[in-house]
Amino acid sequence: SRFDKVKTGTGKRKGENGKRKNGTGQLKTGERMKDNILDRKCKAFAVRIVHFYKFLVNTQKETVLSKQILRSGTSIGANTRERLNAQSNADFANKLSIALKEADETQYWLEILLESNIIDDNMFSSLNDDLKEIIAIITSSIKTVKRKEQPIKE
């Protein structure tokens, strides 16, 4: 269907601008790779959600829940993108925490659409599987940043 997985770009940001304004302003190599994966997955998911929204409105004639999932589903990527301009590790973790909340809300709306018989199991599983991957990456990133904030015990 039209909201199946969409491949987007090469995963490289223009000029490889994976910047975080703390210290040198540059992400370490491992962080940059994880961040690019997160950026690609969030953008591809947002594009799928836009197509899913169109399907819900045009085919299923569903206008209320579709707006909710459009808002929360596209907000995940917007909030993960904001982390690139974080001014500290705490700000970085906060941006990702907001994205995690939006992902959880999106999962809730998917469950409501499934349990209301507006979408079938295949549609739900396809979107939910991608969402679970994004949630796992965001959760891992938050834990990593918070671990870095802990003082080193001697």
Side-chain angles (χ1 to χ4, degrees):
S1 70
R2 291 188 317 226
F3 54 90
D4 284 340
K5 296 185 183 202
V6 176
K7 205 169 188 179
T8 56
T10 63
K12 294 183 180 177
R13 294 179 47 80
K14 291 179 184 172
E16 201 61 52
N17 285 340
K19 293 183 181 176
R20 190 160 85 214
K21 296 176 184 172
N22 61 349
T24 64
Q26 293 294 318
L27 294 173
K28 293 181 180 126
T29 305
E31 289 177 316
R32 184 177 292 130
M33 186 181 305
K34 189 187 295 185
D35 287 340
N36 283 338
I37 290 168
L38 180 59
D39 289 339
R40 281 195 316 269
K41 287 187 178 288
C42 286
K43 185 180 276 185
F45 186 76
V47 170
R48 288 188 72 199
I49 287 293
V50 169
H51 291 295
F52 184 56
Y53 166 79
K54 291 177 183 177
F55 164 79
L56 290 173
V57 171
N58 296 332
T59 306
Q60 302 300 88
K61 305 299 183 209
E62 202 307 302
T63 58
V64 177
L65 297 176
S66 60
K67 288 179 185 172
Q68 294 286 356
I69 200 162
L70 176 67
R71 187 201 54 74
S72 65
T74 56
S75 182
I76 300 164
N79 283 293
T80 60
R81 176 70 67 94
E82 281 187 34
R83 86 198 183 287
L84 299 175
N85 296 306
Q87 300 197 3
S88 66
N89 281 344
D91 189 28
F92 185 87
N94 185 54
K95 304 288 187 204
L96 288 177
S97 294
I98 293 168
L100 188 59
K101 289 176 186 178
E102 295 295 339
D104 188 54
E105 181 180 339
T106 302
Q107 205 164 38
Y108 173 80
W109 295 124
L110 281 173
E111 291 167 3
I112 296 297
L113 289 165
L114 175 67
E115 292 172 24
S116 302
N117 296 316
I118 296 171
I119 61 173
D120 63 23
D121 287 332
N122 291 335
M123 288 181 201
F124 172 82
S125 294
S126 178
L127 288 164
N128 195 51
D129 288 348
D130 283 355
L131 190 54
K132 286 194 282 190
E133 283 183 39
I134 290 168
I135 289 170
I137 295 168
I138 292 171
T139 301
S140 172
S141 296
I142 292 169
K143 287 178 181 176
T144 300
V145 171
K146 287 186 175 182
R147 200 170 38 245
K148 288 179 182 178
E149 290 180 338
Q150 299 299 318
I152 298 171
K153 294 180 182 177
E154 294 180 25

